Amino acid sequence: FSGYHMLTVISSVLILQLDVVLLGPLAKDGLEAVAIYGVAALAVSMLRNPTRVIGIAATPSFSQHYQEGKIKELRTLFLRSSVNMQILGFAMFTLAYLNINSIQVLAGLVQSGYSQIKGIILILMIGQLADMITGLNYELIGVTKYYRFNFWIAIALLIIVFILNYFLIRHIGIYGAAWATSIGLVMFNRAKSIFLWRKFRMQPFQKSFWLILLAAGRSWLVAWSLPYLANVWVELVRRSALMILVF
């Protein structure tokens, strides 16, 4: 059991790191692309922290309910945690999309040549959003008798992501690495969601999903309608504060 979980974690980390590993030798601009991509990847990876915290908090309860055969309570807990993940996911994606121009300006103040960081962050955020809105499917599968599924699906996706990175980086460079990672995360979470539905009749989406999406869209529209100011720091703070307040 521990061995499979350890190998699954290693495979999952490799899925998220293959883009950086392959970008240097495959991209035309080599290590320069790695430097730019690394900043965007770091910014997006910081958004995974809430996922880790909620997963650590929910896993013991998942395990207890499953071992006691309380599938109804397990389903309720999974849905509740999924709602929390969806709220966080849409809030973070909306904040990133709302402030993407300010983020690019700030990156340019640190070092010139970061004109591509805007598109990379948005592409990577698609995969991160897919990972969050599908709930704690990895944690739930991991405490059931089907825990080996996480490992085998991770291995399969690792191969797919490697192939995607190889061809997309060679054709569209740094953006290809971002698309390969996001496509891999979408496929990874789609596969786990289908598996959960077939085995336990559990899925993370309910009516509240559309309400959260609507709230995110309206809060973005309100914050986006503000007139732009010259000071990028003030712009970043006031738009973010208004968006969070409305959301």
Side-chain angles (χ1 to χ4, degrees), residues 1-9 59 63 66-67 138-151:
F1 179 81
S2 299
Y4 266 99
H5 276 279
M6 180 185 69
L7 292 172
T8 303
V9 170
T59 299
S63 180
Y66 179 76
Q67 295 299 326
Y138 168 82
E139 287 78 5
L140 180 54
I141 295 173
V143 301
T144 70
K145 65 180 181 180
Y146 304 107
Y147 63 89
R148 295 180 183 87
F149 174 82
N150 279 338
F151 170 71

Side-chain angles (χ1 to χ4, degrees), residues 69-127:
K70 299 179 179 178
I71 302 302
K72 182 178 180 180
E73 290 82 356
L74 181 64
R75 183 178 292 107
T76 300
L77 181 60
F78 177 67
L79 287 174
R80 288 171 58 194
S81 63
S82 297
V83 169
N84 289 328
M85 296 287 289
Q86 290 160 8
I87 291 172
L88 284 170
F90 279 117
M92 291 178 179
F93 183 84
T94 305
L95 277 173
Y97 187 71
L98 179 67
N99 295 300
I100 194 63
N101 291 321
S102 297
I103 293 172
Q104 179 154 330
V105 171
L106 291 176
L109 293 176
V110 177
Q111 179 70 39
S112 60
Y114 281 81
S115 59
Q116 296 170 302
I117 199 171
K118 174 181 177 179
I120 298 169
I121 290 178
L122 290 179
I123 295 170
L124 289 174
M125 281 297 298
I126 294 173

Side-chain angles (χ1 to χ4, degrees), residues 179-200:
W179 277 117
T181 299
S182 284
I183 292 172
L185 283 173
V186 170
M187 294 175 64
F188 192 38
N189 286 280
R190 177 61 177 167
K192 289 183 290 183
S193 296
I194 293 175
F195 184 83
L196 268 181
W197 175 252
R198 289 182 175 179
K199 296 297 182 182
F200 299 103

